[in-house]
């Protein structure tokens, strides 16, 4: 089942806010942003976009400890092919990232032309499988990939899912659509969209806060979903998208379910190009391979010291990277709630799955996406086919909560030619009720984009939080009343944007 969603025509603007100080800012101020992922690059973008001609142009420095931009958006190359290794998919109603793609002239990656089969594995057997048409004869296999055949297969699979899960599928769809519609308030006109100093205020205003106080399971039970749907399909989705069970908080769970619907898209060549393009367009001084080790409040400015021994003076400092596993010293110390990050191990394998591991006789019988139920004894959360080269070789991506040992991989695969492992500190470990760090880490101009991640962690939520941070900076530091209309609009019929995975 897919969630059919259409784009809205909205106008994005800054609302009025009381200036933080009556004193005018210096003619040329410096904004230092720690982190060159989608959050940091979006802050730089919105600062440039929303700054009126009457506001002195700020110097923007962006610090990135790695040698590339993108943060948790990255690609990996296997057998000469480029695949997403981190944040992989975008929703058709992610209006900020839709706009980023447009202004940066980036190309949407073409969807798969064939049907994509799903299997739910419990460690011993597949409790549910959709239809998978394949043939060892190349000519016949090509015929099975014709559009009308795929349409027929999709219809049959929808019927199979309805037989197993019934009307609970529609209740799940309604639950997701309700959350998405409330999230769309963040794109409304400025008259009804204030600037938020706390995450709590931001969520309460959109009607999303209560979803962070209860587990996804509790929310879905109240919505009337069956136990079978929650324990099987919903669990598969939350394990794939967040590496967590349905005991995660409700808003993160709703976002996870939205990420399994229709119209999902990504950027050809890698989603990291959005961060790179925004930084390039925003005229920033980019410091790669430069990790910030301390941020000290010196009264009228902040002093940032890096591991290279350099010191930088900034009137405004923005932290756009999770602080949970970083060792940045703040002077004076800051106070934020303790938060555990959920590590996801992404393992890329070029080879061939072993059908015997799944109790099958042929590799063609293994679904393209193997999801798993919540079972601590299962060694992986999902295995998916990224690219099939021939009958004896494909590239696969495995998600797991623990590293995949070679001995385990050799039991899952009959052939393994290339293996790449990445350990992502991917997102918060969600636990209801959520407690949020502040957007403003002190009484002055030290800001934290990733405070919003305890609500939900996606590329778009990072952009939404970054837009609010940019508005906070412009209103509190520069004391300007700014009204800006953006081109946040998209047709639901726009070519290349809507498709089903």
């Amino acid at each position: 089942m897919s969630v059919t969603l259409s784009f809205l025509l909205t106008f994005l603007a800054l609302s009025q806010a009381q200036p933080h100080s009556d004193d005018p800012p210096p003619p040329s101020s410096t904004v230092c942003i720690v982190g060159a992922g989608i959050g940091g690059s979006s802050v730089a973008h919105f600062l440039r976009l929303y700054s009126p001609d009457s506001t002195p142009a700020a110097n923007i420095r962006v610090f990135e400890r790695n040698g590339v931009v993108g943060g948790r958006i990255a690609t990996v190359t296997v057998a000469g092919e480029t695949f997403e290794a981190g944040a992989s998919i975008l929703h058709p109603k992610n209006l900020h990232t839709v706009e980023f793609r447009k202004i940066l002239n980036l190309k949407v990656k073409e969807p798969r032309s064939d049907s994509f089969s799903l299997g739910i594995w419990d460690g011993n057997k597949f409790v549910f499988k959709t239809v998978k048409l394949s043939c060892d004869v190349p000519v016949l296999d090509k015929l099975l990939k014709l559009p009308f055949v795929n349409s027929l297969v999709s219809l049959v699979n929808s019927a199979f899912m309805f037989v197993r899960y019934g009307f609970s599928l529609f209740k799940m769809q309604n639950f997701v659509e309700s959350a998405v519609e409330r999230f769309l308030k963040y794109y409304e006109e400025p008259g009804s969209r204030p600037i938020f100093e706390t995450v709590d205020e931001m969520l309460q205003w959109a009607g999303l806060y209560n979803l962070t106080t209860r587990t996804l399971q509790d929310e879905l039970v109240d919505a009337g979903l069956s136990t079978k749907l929650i324990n099987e399909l919903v669990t598969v989705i939350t394990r794939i998208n967040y590496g967590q069970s349905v005991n995660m908080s409700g808003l993160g769970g709703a976002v996870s379910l939205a990420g399994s619907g229709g119209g999902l898209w990504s950027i050809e060549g890698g989603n990291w190009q959005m961060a790179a393009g925004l930084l390039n367009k925003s005229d920033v001084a980019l410091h790669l391979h430069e990790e910030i080790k301390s941020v000290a409040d010196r009264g009228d400015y902040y002093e940032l010291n890096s591991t290279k021994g350099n010191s930088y003076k900034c009137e405004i400092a923005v932290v756009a990277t999770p602080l949970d596993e970083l060792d940045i010293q703040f002077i004076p110390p800051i106070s934020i709630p303790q938060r555990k990050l959920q590590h996801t191990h992404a393992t890329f394998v070029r080879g061939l799955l072993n059908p015997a591991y799944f109790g099958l006789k042929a590799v063609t019988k293994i679904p393209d996406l193997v999801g798993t139920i919540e079972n601590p004894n299962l060694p992986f959360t999902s295995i998916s086919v990224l690219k099939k080269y021939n009958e004896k070789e494909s590239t696969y991506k495995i998600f797991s909560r623990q590293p995949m040992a070679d001995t385990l991989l050799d039991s899952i695969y009959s052939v393994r030619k290339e293996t790449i492992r990445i350990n992502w500190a991917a997102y918060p470990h969600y636990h209801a009720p959520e407690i949020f760090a502040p957007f403003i880490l002190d009484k002055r101009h030290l800001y934290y984009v990733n405070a919003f991640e305890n609500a939900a962690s996606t590329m778009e939520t990072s952009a939404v939080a970054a837009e609010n941070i940019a508005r906070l900076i412009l209103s509190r530091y520069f004391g300007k009343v700014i009204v800006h209309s953006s081109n946040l609009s998209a047709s639901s019929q726009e070519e290349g944007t809507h498709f089903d995975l």
Side-chain angles (χ1 to χ4, degrees), residues 72 87 241-242 251-252 255 322 426-428 430 450 452-462:
R72 287 168 286 177
N241 288 337
Y242 279 126
L251 181 54
V255 169
Y427 15 66
Y430 292 104
N450 298 74
F452 196 83
E453 273 199 281
N454 261 47
S457 179
T458 67
M459 289 177 275
E460 183 69 11
T461 52
S462 293

Side-chain angles (χ1 to χ4, degrees), residues 173-184:
Q173 177 174 326
N174 291 337
F175 171 77
V176 173
E177 287 180 341
S178 174
V180 170
E181 288 303 314
R182 280 176 276 174
F183 188 83
L184 289 174

Side-chain angles (χ1 to χ4, degrees), residues 32-34 292-298 302-305 316-336 438-442 445-450:
C32 288
I33 301 173
V34 181
I292 297 301
K293 66 177 183 179
S294 67
V295 178
D297 186 347
R298 301 304 186 197
Y302 296 93
E303 181 183 291
L304 275 65
N305 294 293
I316 301 158
V318 179
V319 179
T321 185
L323 288 171
D324 312 276
E325 295 185 1
L326 292 181
D327 189 23
I328 298 179
Q329 181 185 14
F330 290 91
I331 305 170
I334 62 170
S335 177
I336 60 174
F439 280 134
I440 306 169
L441 292 174
D442 61 2
H445 299 289
L446 177 61
Y447 300 92
Y448 188 29
V449 177
N450 298 74

Side-chain angles (χ1 to χ4, degrees), residues 326-394:
L326 292 181
D327 189 23
I328 298 179
Q329 181 185 14
F330 290 91
I331 305 170
I334 62 170
S335 177
I336 60 174
Q338 188 174 11
R339 183 173 70 178
K340 177 184 176 183
L341 292 184
Q342 178 75 36
H343 279 250
T344 290
H345 296 265
T347 306
F348 297 82
V349 175
R350 179 166 64 99
L352 193 66
L353 282 171
N354 178 12
Y357 181 87
F358 299 98
L360 301 173
K361 294 183 178 180
V363 70
T364 55
K365 301 299 181 182
I366 303 174
D368 300 307
L369 171 60
V370 178
T372 55
I373 63 171
E374 190 62 31
N375 182 340
N377 296 321
L378 288 171
F380 59 87
T381 56
S382 66
I383 301 177
S384 59
V385 177
L386 297 180
K387 180 71 178 287
K388 181 179 178 180
Y389 305 106
N390 52 57
E391 296 304 319
K392 296 184 178 181
E393 186 176 326
S394 296

Side-chain angles (χ1 to χ4, degrees), residues 19 25-26 29 31 47 55-58 316 473-480:
S29 303
V31 180
L47 282 174
T55 300
I316 301 158
I473 292 170
L474 291 170
S475 63
R476 296 180 75 249
Y477 185 79
F478 291 97
K480 297 293 182 180

